[in-house]
Amino acid sequence: MTHDNDTAALAAELIRMAEEDHAAAPTAHSADFAEQLAWRRLTARHGDRLDQIMDTHGWPTAELVGDEAARGAWLIAQHADRQLDVQRRALRLLEQAVTAGAASPRELAFLRDRTLVNEGRKQIYGTQIAGVEEGSPVPWPCENPERMDALRAEAGIEPFDTYVARFATT
């Protein structure tokens, strides 16, 4: 992968934004409203910036910016929950990148579910957790619950029970 200065700077920026996101994510549901507000401001700023990046470059693929920065772009899109237009656009562009073999079907599955849930619709892959009941994570409603694990497998995601076992508190 060869970088010109612009794409190197873009890669560094996406990585920095992802690091800020990781550092702030635990405050997203904080009891401290100032922390929640800071999280919302951060994700909104990042969503706006990702929108500008998509204007200029389309989806920032690993081929363009490297694996770590491409994962950062996906994370920013995933957390642009209050900017559904940005999330939908990222989904469309990521879909095209996956079709072209330039991005991960797994990341696409997570972003598709996230966008569907944010639209108030049923998710497909069961990646979005609504809450915890009796110590076990419960997904938001799914379109075809009986096909969920088969669809997860196609996208390179482990079976739901394996996934939630990592989070179970019992």
Side-chain angles (χ1 to χ4, degrees):
M1 176 182 66
T2 55
H3 275 319
D4 61 26
N5 287 343
D6 285 352
T7 50
L10 177 59
E13 181 183 11
L14 285 165
I15 290 166
R16 180 185 50 72
M17 285 163 56
E19 287 168 351
E20 287 175 359
D21 184 289
H22 280 302
T27 66
H29 304 289
S30 171
D32 180 340
F33 292 126
E35 285 185 353
Q36 273 192 47
L37 190 57
W39 166 253
R40 288 180 182 217
R41 284 192 185 122
L42 178 81
T43 54
R45 192 169 67 246
H46 286 175
D48 289 346
R49 180 62 185 126
L50 181 61
D51 206 29
Q52 292 170 347
I53 290 167
M54 292 186 293
D55 280 342
T56 310
H57 300 278
W59 184 254
T61 60
E63 189 181 352
L64 179 70
V65 294
D67 288 335
E68 190 181 357
R71 265 194 312 277
W74 168 79
L75 182 70
I76 292 158
Q78 191 77 355
H79 288 164
D81 293 318
R82 292 168 196 88
Q83 294 159 291
L84 204 43
D85 55 330
V86 174
Q87 212 167 48
R88 286 181 179 131
R89 182 183 186 193
L91 181 64
R92 279 194 310 274
L93 292 175
L94 183 56
E95 206 162 35
Q96 291 165 8
V98 168
T99 301
S104 152
R106 187 177 196 278
E107 289 180 351
L108 179 61
F110 273 83
L111 187 58
R112 178 167 285 131
D113 273 0
R114 186 83 168 219
T115 305
L116 286 167
V117 166
N118 284 335
E119 290 173 341
R121 292 157 63 195
K122 290 182 177 178
Q123 62 177 328
I124 297 168
Y125 303 94
T127 64
Q128 301 303 298
I129 303 300
V132 177
E133 283 177 21
E134 295 170 14
S136 295
V138 179
W140 286 96
C142 279
E143 196 68 49
N144 292 305
E146 65 290 342
R147 290 206 54 228
M148 183 176 73
D149 276 338
L151 293 167
R152 288 172 75 92
E154 282 172 26
I157 305 171
E158 67 271 41
F160 185 77
D161 288 344
T162 307
Y163 176 67
V164 298
R166 297 202 312 248
F167 304 101
T169 56
T170 53

